[in-house]
Amino acid sequence: MATVLGVVVDVIREKMDQLKVGKRVIEHGHSIIFGWTDRAPLVINELLLANESEGGGVIVIMAEAPNKDVIEAQILHRFRRRLRGSRIIVRNGSSMLMQDLQKVAVDRAKVSILLSDPSGDADEADAASLRQILTIRSLPALDGFVVVEIRDVDNEPLVRLVGGSMVETIVSHDIIGRMMVMSSRNPGLSRVYSEVLGFDGDEFYMASFPEIEGVAFGDLQAMFPDAIPIGIASADEHCIWLKPSVGRITKPGEKIIVIAEDDDTFSPQPAEDVAGTEAPRLPPKTQQKELILFCGWRRDIRDIILHLDRLVMSGSCIHMCTDAIPLSERDVRLQSEGLNFRSLKNVTVEHFNINTSVRRKVAELPLEEYTSILIFPDQRHEGDIMRSDSHVIATLLLIRDIQRQRNKEKILTVTTLNTATANRVAEGIESWRKHVALTPKTPIICEILDPRTQATIEANLNIAGSSDFCQSNRLIAQVLAMVSENRGVKLLIDELLSADGTSFRVMRASSYVAKGEILNFYELGRRCLRQKGEVLVGYQHSHDFVTVINPRDKRTRRSWDNDDLVVLHGTSRLKGQDRTKANVVIAALNQQSSRRDRVSLDADGMERLRNARTTSITSSINSTIARHLAQLRIEDLQWLQSKIQAEIRTRDMSHVSPLVLPLDPALEKVIDNLNNLRATVESVKDEAKDEEEEDVPVLKDL
């Protein structure tokens, strides 16, 4: 009897364990999130908003830990009565095991989102993401694609190489770093990105309409009362023209890229009759040298320094303050991460060993001389986001308090009033600043990790008016969700956050409108586009920083004296850029590596041409490579040549990065070919010139 009872108990326990893990998902066209991190609930919230207009969708969560019932309890607590018609399914399992992938029906999913482990080493986290992609690639076929979060920008090319056309990569630290740099140089910009990223409010959409065929881009602005046209995309969304020329004609089948509330809220209407008027003529602004303060140490601080070097004027300087890294180790660490100080053209770096939450230490800095201040979460606090946010807020309030005290001392120095009266004057000025949420002269941008901290800041006018805030976890979750819903958004985000492309700017209205001049949004938008070459997307109140993107009252004539304008500024790099070029080359190289009769890229140019003409399969493969070689990203090849070859061929495997350990022999062959591609580019182009008269289609495309 005891034996029978023991068997029954074991069977019941096994069934209970199966119930905890969950049954196999039978859905189709669902979204999968792999991993349960601080960003997972934020991504879920964005997907719920995105699916609301379609009546809801199915979101599947798969994580190894915590247990299924714990995750379900957290979801129930956070999203009770806020599912917006969607269903959330939770399963326990590993994305590196084939049977667990089949359990959540990865092959039938619309999109799979791989969240990176925020704890531990970035290379190890990216290595885990790489192994997940290799496992997913072993499936026979995928209906959708994969969006993977990468923590280190140096690891992105290999992940993209392994994933091929099925993967979109989001480098979380790099995106936040670039956004903070841009926001520190343009106060109010972080609020603009908070408005256009995610699905709460206005975001990016692509749609085609027969009414826009043959219409110039400059005339599209007056045809969409409920959207802001910002570019044009090909029918397959692989080629994008962001902020094209005013006279660029929309071709049949092409789509318009807009900022709108939802994909069903805009359509072309009869064009508004917009009068053309002249903008005021102002002298051009001259760029000045900058003194920038960094508080805290991020793991990717090197990339931020390089990004700033491309933006600032020569002779600028960065003061780097932290006590997390000893002074003697900083330059060595930066150099080991790839920063060559001799390559910096415009900026120099000075180090200070200062705990930025200690007043007497911070008071030693020339706070009134800084042109901008960036406050980062210290790398040592990454595992505790509340402690990290507390340190950031303490640093911000301390800096602002010292600045206010020094401003008061200046008033006391220059005034002829007695001390008591001068103090009242200074306090009155400060009280007025707080009331209208004006920041002191030096702009500050802070990175916040926890959404609860952001809610606290927004409820406190004193703190909210002291700085711009970049809520990194929420912004990355918004980017992940947007790319998962529309892959073309990835190109737009890369462009908008680049140092030398088109990006959002918050500009003084006085540069476009004379004081007291009355215009509606259409008239002002026409002036911006035709006279300044900029697309007007919204405005921001200068007294409280409330940001309005894609205003609904575009016909209302009004004064713009108390507003700043939000525009798309700069020369776009996206002028028909084809996102498929690199993927086509990678696919061709993979196919070439698997053919025994392939023509080696190591061969000289004429030999490769002769062999290509006699071998039909190889000719087809090399045709694909040659056709797209000129537009392959050269930084990918440089990275592969300098890092992969050095590590994959080393004999001392103890020093090999975890990222390259799971590579199989077939992928090594692809890397061997890629390492020689740079040397092949010039030979292919030379052959193109020699064979131009022979009408060889492969080479004429170059």
Side-chain angles (χ1 to χ4, degrees):
M1 186 63 184
T3 302
V4 174
L5 184 60
V7 172
V8 172
V9 170
D10 289 340
V11 171
I12 294 175
R13 184 176 296 167
E14 183 180 354
K15 291 296 182 182
M16 291 294 293
D17 291 339
Q18 290 177 358
L19 288 175
K20 287 182 179 180
V21 173
K23 296 181 180 180
R24 184 167 182 170
V25 174
I26 60 173
E27 306 294 337
H28 186 279
H30 53 293
S31 301
I32 305 177
I33 300 175
F34 289 102
W36 188 254
T37 68
D38 294 329
R39 289 179 180 149
L42 302 174
V43 175
I44 292 174
N45 184 62
E46 294 299 328
L47 293 179
L48 294 177
L49 291 170
N51 294 330
E52 183 179 15
S53 62
E54 301 174 0
V58 178
I59 303 171
V60 179
I61 313 296
M62 170 168 273
E64 294 185 67
N67 291 332
K68 175 175 177 289
D69 52 350
V70 175
I71 298 177
E72 288 176 336
Q74 293 181 17
I75 292 175
L76 181 63
H77 173 73
R78 185 152 187 165
F79 298 105
R80 185 194 301 264
R81 299 176 184 174
R82 293 195 297 115
L83 294 178
R84 305 174 189 272
S86 295
R87 291 190 299 122
I88 301 178
I89 302 172
V90 181
R91 295 290 183 266
N92 277 134
S94 172
S95 56
M96 299 183 191
L97 298 178
M98 184 63 65
Q99 60 268 29
D100 288 344
L101 292 179
Q102 294 172 346
K103 185 194 302 182
V104 294
V106 170
D107 55 333
R108 300 193 303 271
K110 176 180 67 174
V111 62
S112 299
I113 303 174
L114 305 183
L115 298 181
S116 178
D117 183 2
S119 61
D121 183 70
D123 283 335
E124 291 184 3
D126 292 344
S129 299
L130 182 65
R131 296 186 186 100
Q132 292 172 344
I133 294 171
L134 287 171
T135 306
I136 294 175
R137 278 195 68 98
S138 63
L139 294 170
L142 293 179
D143 292 346
F145 62 100
V146 179
V147 180
V148 55
E149 178 190 357
I150 303 297
R151 288 180 57 188
D152 195 322
V153 68
D154 289 337
N155 296 330
E156 183 191 18
L158 181 58
V159 174
R160 192 167 57 245
L161 171 66
V162 173
S165 59
M166 79 169 195
V167 167
E168 295 291 348
T169 56
I170 304 297
V171 186
S172 53
H173 270 62
D174 184 58
I175 288 177
I176 295 301
R178 285 188 284 173
M179 191 176 297
M180 288 194 64
V181 169
M182 297 174 70
S183 299
S184 70
R185 300 169 55 77
N186 192 196
L189 187 60
S190 64
R191 292 174 170 85
V192 175
Y193 281 104
S194 295
E195 290 291 328
V196 300
L197 295 180
F199 294 96
D200 187 9
D202 293 84
E203 53 274 347
F204 304 107
Y205 292 101
M206 302 182 190
S208 60
F209 302 97
E211 295 90 338
I212 68 174
E213 294 179 7
V215 179
F217 177 75
D219 297 327
L220 291 175
Q221 313 295 315
M223 295 177 61
F224 287 87
D226 300 311
I228 303 291
I230 62 171
I232 297 173
S234 60
D236 58 6
E237 300 182 4
H238 286 160
C239 295
I240 288 178
W241 293 264
L242 185 62
K243 196 171 75 67
S245 62
V246 175
R248 204 278 190 188
I249 302 297
T250 308
K251 301 176 183 177
E254 288 185 333
K255 298 182 178 181
I256 184 173
I257 306 172
V258 301
I259 298 176
E261 184 178 7
D262 210 336
D263 54 2
D264 58 355
T265 60
F266 64 95
S267 61
Q269 305 295 327
E272 292 284 332
D273 186 14
V274 182
T277 55
E278 290 291 328
R281 298 183 179 275
L282 300 175
K285 294 183 178 179
T286 57
Q287 191 175 12
Q288 303 290 331
K289 296 179 182 179
E290 300 182 38
L291 180 61
I292 304 166
L293 175 64
F294 282 8
C295 296
W297 183 281
R298 281 170 56 107
R299 180 181 42 77
D300 61 342
I301 201 77
R302 171 208 63 177
D303 301 317
I304 297 177
I305 294 173
L306 291 173
H307 190 70
L308 260 177
D309 187 58
R310 301 171 62 183
L311 296 172
V312 300
M313 183 180 178
S314 178
S316 299
C317 182
I318 297 174
H319 285 182
M320 192 171 296
C321 297
T322 181
D323 62 343
I325 308 295
L327 288 173
S328 58
E329 297 180 11
R330 296 186 193 177
D331 286 347
V332 175
R333 179 171 295 193
L334 290 172
Q335 290 174 356
S336 66
E337 293 175 353
L339 178 62
N340 182 1
F341 286 98
R342 294 182 179 179
S343 66
L344 298 178
K345 299 179 180 179
N346 299 320
V347 70
T348 58
V349 180
E350 296 183 15
H351 296 287
F352 296 85
N353 189 27
I354 290 177
N355 183 343
T356 55
S357 61
V358 177
R359 185 182 186 92
R360 61 183 177 81
K361 293 289 187 180
V362 177
E364 298 173 1
L365 298 171
L367 296 178
E368 64 277 2
E369 298 180 12
Y370 292 118
T371 54
S372 59
I373 299 175
L374 290 80
I375 304 178
F376 304 108
D378 248 329
Q379 185 176 348
R380 60 183 173 180
H381 299 321
E382 278 188 347
D384 187 348
I385 59 176
M386 287 301 293
R387 181 181 179 186
S388 173
D389 287 352
S390 298
H391 187 270
V392 168
I393 296 299
T395 300
L396 166 66
L397 295 178
L398 182 59
I399 290 175
R400 286 307 191 202
D401 185 61
I402 294 175
Q403 288 179 329
R404 292 185 183 108
Q405 184 63 35
R406 291 181 180 177
N407 287 337
K408 185 184 293 186
E409 292 173 356
K410 288 181 180 179
I411 294 176
L412 292 173
T413 301
V414 300
T415 185
T416 58
L417 301 174
N418 59 53
T419 302
T421 304
N423 275 326
R424 287 197 298 272
V425 171
E427 290 171 359
I429 293 174
E430 198 58 45
S431 175
W432 173 75
R433 278 188 174 276
K434 293 178 182 179
H435 178 70
V436 299
L438 288 179
T439 62
K441 182 179 180 180
T442 305
I444 298 181
I445 178 71
C446 300
E447 180 181 357
I448 298 299
L449 302 179
D450 196 318
R452 293 171 294 181
T453 307
Q454 183 71 27
T456 302
I457 291 170
E458 292 173 353
N460 190 313
L461 185 61
N462 185 25
I463 299 178
S466 298
S467 168
D468 278 348
F469 294 89
C470 181
Q471 211 283 292
S472 56
N473 280 339
R474 185 177 68 181
L475 288 172
I476 293 301
Q478 291 172 332
V479 172
L480 288 167
M482 292 183 73
V483 175
S484 71
E485 292 294 313
N486 187 341
R487 299 184 70 174
V489 173
K490 174 62 163 54
L491 274 178
L492 295 178
I493 292 174
D494 287 343
E495 170 72 9
L496 293 173
L497 294 177
S498 65
D500 50 3
T502 297
S503 60
F504 289 116
R505 296 283 290 273
V506 180
M507 310 289 285
R508 294 292 184 187
S510 57
S511 300
Y512 307 82
V513 186
K515 186 174 180 60
E517 188 175 5
I518 305 298
L519 296 173
N520 64 28
F521 191 84
Y522 287 119
E523 294 168 337
L524 186 54
R526 176 187 174 91
R527 178 180 292 184
C528 291
L529 184 61
R530 297 186 178 274
Q531 298 183 33
K532 303 283 188 177
E534 299 169 346
V535 176
L536 179 65
V537 300
Y539 57 89
Q540 189 175 88
H541 298 319
S542 56
H543 63 284
D544 59 7
F545 300 110
V546 171
T547 303
V548 179
I549 302 297
N550 181 29
R552 307 299 185 260
D553 55 345
K554 295 184 175 68
R555 296 186 181 91
T556 303
R557 298 175 64 82
R558 46 168 293 203
S559 170
W560 300 87
D561 293 345
N562 298 321
D563 295 314
D564 297 328
L565 303 184
V566 181
V567 300
L568 268 179
H569 172 89
T571 302
S572 175
R573 302 176 304 169
L574 295 182
K575 297 181 178 179
Q577 178 178 336
D578 193 339
R579 59 182 286 115
T580 63
K581 297 298 183 184
N583 292 331
V584 169
V585 175
I586 290 171
L589 285 167
N590 274 292
Q591 185 181 2
Q592 187 183 58
S593 296
S594 65
R595 302 287 187 182
R596 291 185 177 181
D597 60 346
R598 71 183 186 277
V599 176
S600 173
L601 288 176
D602 296 338
D604 65 81
M606 294 309 298
E607 179 185 354
R608 184 156 47 79
L609 269 181
R610 287 193 296 269
N611 290 334
R613 289 168 180 163
T614 57
T615 308
S616 59
I617 295 178
T618 304
S619 177
S620 173
I621 295 172
N622 279 333
S623 297
T624 305
I625 294 174
R627 246 195 333 268
H628 303 287
L629 191 60
Q631 297 191 35
L632 187 62
R633 285 177 43 146
I634 196 65
E635 54 265 34
D636 293 353
L637 304 181
Q638 292 171 339
W639 182 85
L640 286 166
Q641 184 176 25
S642 63
K643 186 166 185 175
I644 293 297
Q645 187 174 12
E647 294 186 353
I648 201 85
R649 297 186 180 282
T650 182
R651 296 183 180 181
D652 185 3
M653 297 301 290
S654 63
H655 297 297
V656 176
S657 167
L659 189 60
V660 301
L661 291 180
L663 298 184
D664 54 30
L667 186 56
E668 289 188 41
K669 294 178 181 179
V670 177
I671 292 173
D672 287 340
N673 283 334
L674 279 172
N675 284 330
N676 294 313
L677 262 181
R678 290 184 65 199
T680 308
V681 174
E682 294 303 325
S683 65
V684 172
K685 291 183 178 180
D686 292 340
E687 292 162 16
K689 295 179 181 178
D690 297 338
E691 299 291 333
E692 190 173 8
E693 297 180 357
E694 296 185 20
D695 193 24
V696 181
V698 173
L699 300 176
K700 287 192 71 175
D701 287 341
L702 284 174

